[in-house]
Amino acid sequence: MARWACRRRCDPTWRVSSSWLLSRLDYRLSIALYCLRMKRTPRKQRQAETRDPLFNQSVEKAFAILEAYGGERRALNLGEIAAAAGMTKSSAQRCTHTLERLGLLRRDARVKRWVLTPRTLSVAHAYLSGYALLEQATTHLIDLNQESGESVSLSEPDDTDMVFIARFPSHKRFFIHMPIGRRLPMYCTASGRAYLSALPAAEVQRILRRSALRQFTPTTLTDAAKILERIAAAREAGYEWSDQECYRGDVTIAAPILGDDGLPVGAINISAPTSRWTLTELRSKLSSVLLETARAASSGTASRLRA
Amino acid sequence: MARWACRRRCDPTWRVSSSWLLSRLDYRLSIALYCLRMKRTPRKQRQAETRDPLFNQSVEKAFAILEAYGGERRALNLGEIAAAAGMTKSSAQRCTHTLERLGLLRRDARVKRWVLTPRTLSVAHAYLSGYALLEQATTHLIDLNQESGESVSLSEPDDTDMVFIARFPSHKRFFIHMPIGRRLPMYCTASGRAYLSALPAAEVQRILRRSALRQFTPTTLTDAAKILERIAAAREAGYEWSDQECYRGDVTIAAPILGDDGLPVGAINISAPTSRWTLTELRSKLSSVLLETARAASSGTASRLRA
């Protein structure tokens, strides 16, 4: 009110009409809320915001909400959304409303919770459609899947992880369900270490330093020196292996896909259950066909991978 | 400046320090930009915003940018992003900056354009991981893929489209690359009409009224009466077919997947090239195994499809 009075006294041209007043109320409210937020926001966060005025937190929150889903979390209420995405309930409500209007969330009346819609796949489609590397690799991956009878995947690096962008499951059952977008750390996966084996040593060191070396199974490699040894061995052999380091009962071999500049752009892996294969068998029987596939996928369009 | 002067005159407690002044400049700027936007925003849009104050346009813009990619558009500059997503260049710049900081966009120094990163698959992963319908259907879809030797897909309804959520391509080559998230209209696809055939008639009418009946190929059905006839025939047969209605050289048969309440939740289809199959052969040889697969995928966990 102080500011209204202030403007009234100081600006002689100031005129008020009820409709104008109403149309500005929303604007005044947004400023009041902004001030309140400034007051409540911890100094550290406020400084970060000040440092990067172009960064939009609403967009960050929207993705945090969508990524809060997955696995067992298929239907969430407002409280759960707020908790999972680390925001207040009222902030979650505004964001949920926007995502619902965009067709990315849907309120399921039966369970009285919000669920994701198939429209959430549109961004993945934007990434995958027309992707030269994926299109060229697909025929080779299908051949490898047929020849090995086991699950075959294509993955790409993202920070310290490998992200699965294609998956051809085994028709022999007992496979690990691995939808696209699943990410696994580089340091303890065959595909990750295969990718690292084709990188310059300094870059490998940089990635490993940033990786949190966690133990997923009793056989997960977490010793940096041992990991580097394995990467060096993989550089010699052209492929890398993993003995149940992420999932018990799963042995894997993987080879890097190279771009025209000789640098790696991803990895192909064969993943098999210990009920059907020993790691030694997998390496002796399938490593050569794996290497052939990686070479075939590396040539030609791999150079056009992003453009 | 007028407002600063005003505040100075009217508020006797007002004190200014250079650091405080700097910290507030960003805030003042954001208000000035807001006012400018209010002035520039067309009245209609402003009214819509006023009607729905909870809707956040930044989130809408962020998704518009990500969805502007795909197909040939794999690397975009700011102008192209702005044009494709229907926004101003400065708005696109702010949004691009946020998406880059979130790891969803990456500036490719080689082509001097922004490209999507594999992190854009995270939302798809949230949708697909732990999805009971998909997990249960996968083994049946792999069997169907092996038995038919042709491409097999699982799709779900979204508004007037079917969205592909799983795809098992043929190992015999000449397949249409169909990444997950691809959407095709219900009215002219076997999977869409198969899904519609299991819906109540009123709902079918409602969906068809909202569909833009476009001609994709010379054989695309666009006559609403004929489409309804085909849906009625599919209801009798339990499956539907399509003769190159979306893509030339592609014949398809599809059957709906039903939830425990008898209502459809998606569709399974076999898609084959005309170089290997006539539609008559496809229907006579593979419709019974398609129906078996759809029945198997319908039972059990299909009822838990969302929860």
Side-chain angles (χ1 to χ4, degrees):
Chain A
M1 280 320 288
R3 192 170 294 176
W4 279 105
C6 155
R7 182 153 185 187
R8 220 166 191 164
R9 279 201 302 277
C10 302
D11 188 350
T13 65
W14 193 78
R15 295 283 181 279
V16 66
S17 80
S18 62
S19 68
W20 184 88
L21 189 65
L22 278 171
S23 76
R24 303 303 278 180
L25 261 181
D26 175 45
Y27 164 59
R28 293 282 150 189
L29 191 68
S30 76
I31 291 175
L33 288 172
Y34 181 91
C35 298
L36 205 68
R37 187 166 69 84
M38 285 296 282
K39 224 169 185 172
R40 281 199 184 155
T41 313
R43 177 185 292 271
K44 215 166 179 180
Q45 187 182 338
R46 217 156 69 211
Q47 281 174 344
E49 280 178 38
T50 313
R51 272 201 300 274
D52 190 355
L54 286 180
F55 185 73
N56 190 310
Q57 287 200 312
S58 304
V59 175
E60 185 180 32
K61 283 176 190 167
F63 278 95
I65 287 182
L66 298 177
E67 289 171 5
Y69 285 82
E72 293 296 305
R73 299 184 306 281
R74 298 209 59 81
L76 304 176
N77 65 24
L78 262 193
E80 289 161 348
I81 286 174
M87 59 179 77
T88 65
K89 217 166 160 180
S90 72
S91 178
Q93 188 175 24
R94 277 197 305 280
C95 221
T96 303
H97 172 80
T98 299
L99 293 171
E100 193 177 10
R101 265 200 51 191
L102 291 175
L104 295 156
L105 284 184
R106 178 175 62 79
R107 192 169 152 79
D108 189 322
R110 203 167 38 89
V111 292
K112 291 181 182 169
R113 278 168 156 78
W114 274 271
V115 295
L116 297 180
T117 72
R119 179 152 159 65
T120 50
L121 300 177
S122 64
V123 178
H125 184 260
Y127 184 68
L128 299 172
S129 76
Y131 191 177
L133 171 65
L134 184 62
E135 286 186 5
Q136 193 204 328
T138 296
T139 51
H140 304 297
L141 293 169
I142 295 171
D143 287 346
L144 189 60
N145 176 234
Q146 286 287 316
E147 202 164 331
S148 66
E150 297 299 341
S151 296
V152 166
S153 303
L154 174 62
S155 55
E156 274 191 323
D158 189 34
D159 195 20
T160 59
D161 293 332
M162 295 302 280
V163 178
F164 287 82
I165 64 167
R167 169 87 164 169
F168 301 90
S170 164
H171 55 273
K172 293 181 185 163
R173 300 282 189 282
F174 307 119
F175 57 88
I176 295 161
H177 186 64
M178 188 81 80
I180 65 125
R182 171 72 48 95
R183 33 196 329 135
L184 292 175
M186 285 183 190
Y187 74 90
C188 66
T189 49
S191 53
R193 289 197 299 253
Y195 169 79
L196 291 172
S197 75
L199 275 184
E203 181 67 5
V204 175
Q205 291 277 5
R206 202 180 60 79
I207 291 174
L208 286 185
R209 265 198 304 274
R210 286 213 320 284
S211 302
L213 308 178
R214 282 175 51 214
Q215 191 95 28
F216 290 98
T217 69
T219 55
T220 310
L221 273 193
T222 54
D223 183 278
K226 279 188 189 150
I227 293 168
L228 283 171
E229 267 175 39
R230 287 284 293 277
I231 291 170
R235 193 170 288 135
E236 289 297 310
Y239 76 99
E240 173 56 338
W241 47 270
S242 162
D243 185 8
Q244 312 179 63
E245 287 183 56
C246 272
Y247 301 99
R248 281 172 195 256
D250 174 79
V251 282
T252 308
I253 53 173
I257 305 177
L258 305 179
D260 275 359
D261 53 5
L263 287 172
V265 295
I268 287 176
N269 76 274
I270 305 175
S271 177
T274 48
S275 56
R276 281 199 291 267
W277 294 85
T278 66
L279 182 61
T280 314
E281 278 174 349
L282 195 69
R283 291 178 65 185
S284 65
K285 288 191 185 156
L286 294 179
S287 61
S288 57
V289 62
L290 170 76
L291 283 169
E292 267 170 48
T293 306
R295 260 194 292 273
S298 295
S299 61
T301 58
S303 60
R304 297 194 286 120
L305 74 146
R306 285 265 78 101
Chain B
M1 282 321 289
R3 192 170 293 176
W4 278 106
C6 154
R7 181 152 185 189
R8 220 165 191 165
R9 279 200 303 277
C10 301
D11 187 351
T13 66
W14 194 79
R15 295 283 182 278
V16 67
S17 80
S18 62
S19 67
W20 185 88
L21 188 65
L22 279 171
S23 76
R24 302 303 277 179
L25 262 180
D26 173 48
Y27 165 56
R28 293 283 150 189
L29 192 69
S30 77
I31 291 175
L33 287 172
Y34 181 90
C35 298
L36 206 69
R37 187 167 71 83
M38 285 296 281
K39 226 173 185 169
R40 280 200 185 154
T41 312
R43 177 186 293 270
K44 216 165 176 179
Q45 189 183 334
R46 220 155 69 209
Q47 282 174 343
E49 280 177 38
T50 314
R51 272 200 299 274
D52 189 353
L54 286 180
F55 185 73
N56 190 311
Q57 286 201 312
S58 303
V59 175
E60 185 180 32
K61 283 176 189 167
F63 277 94
I65 286 182
L66 298 177
E67 288 170 6
Y69 285 82
E72 293 296 305
R73 299 184 306 282
R74 296 209 62 81
L76 304 176
N77 64 25
L78 261 193
E80 289 162 347
I81 286 174
M87 59 180 75
T88 65
K89 217 166 158 179
S90 72
S91 178
Q93 189 175 23
R94 277 196 306 279
C95 221
T96 302
H97 172 79
T98 300
L99 293 171
E100 193 178 7
R101 264 201 50 190
L102 291 175
L104 295 156
L105 284 185
R106 178 175 62 79
R107 192 170 151 79
D108 188 323
R110 202 165 41 88
V111 294
K112 291 181 182 167
R113 279 169 156 76
W114 274 271
V115 295
L116 297 181
T117 72
R119 178 150 159 66
T120 51
L121 300 178
S122 64
V123 178
H125 184 260
Y127 184 68
L128 297 173
S129 75
Y131 190 178
L133 170 65
L134 184 62
E135 286 187 5
Q136 193 205 330
T138 296
T139 49
H140 303 297
L141 292 169
I142 294 171
D143 287 346
L144 189 60
N145 176 236
Q146 287 286 316
E147 201 164 333
S148 67
E150 298 298 343
S151 296
V152 167
S153 304
L154 174 63
S155 55
E156 273 192 324
D158 189 34
D159 195 21
T160 59
D161 293 333
M162 295 303 278
V163 178
F164 287 82
I165 64 167
R167 168 89 163 170
F168 301 91
S170 164
H171 55 273
K172 293 180 184 163
R173 302 280 190 281
F174 307 119
F175 58 88
I176 295 162
H177 186 63
M178 188 82 79
I180 66 124
R182 170 73 47 94
R183 34 198 326 136
L184 293 174
M186 284 182 190
Y187 74 91
C188 66
T189 48
S191 53
R193 290 196 299 253
Y195 169 77
L196 291 172
S197 75
L199 276 184
E203 181 66 5
V204 175
Q205 290 277 3
R206 202 180 61 79
I207 290 174
L208 286 185
R209 265 199 304 275
R210 286 213 319 284
S211 303
L213 308 178
R214 283 175 51 214
Q215 192 96 28
F216 290 97
T217 70
T219 55
T220 311
L221 273 192
T222 56
D223 184 278
K226 279 187 188 152
I227 293 168
L228 284 171
E229 267 174 38
R230 288 283 292 278
I231 290 170
R235 193 170 289 136
E236 289 297 309
Y239 77 99
E240 172 56 336
W241 47 271
S242 162
D243 185 7
Q244 311 179 64
E245 287 182 56
C246 272
Y247 300 98
R248 282 170 194 256
D250 175 78
V251 283
T252 308
I253 54 173
I257 303 177
L258 305 180
D260 274 359
D261 52 6
L263 286 173
V265 295
I268 287 174
N269 75 273
I270 305 175
S271 177
T274 48
S275 57
R276 281 200 291 268
W277 293 85
T278 66
L279 181 63
T280 315
E281 280 173 349
L282 195 69
R283 292 178 63 185
S284 65
K285 289 189 183 157
L286 294 179
S287 61
S288 56
V289 62
L290 169 76
L291 284 169
E292 268 170 48
T293 306
R295 260 194 294 272
S298 295
S299 62
T301 57
S303 61
R304 296 194 288 120
L305 77 146
R306 285 265 77 102

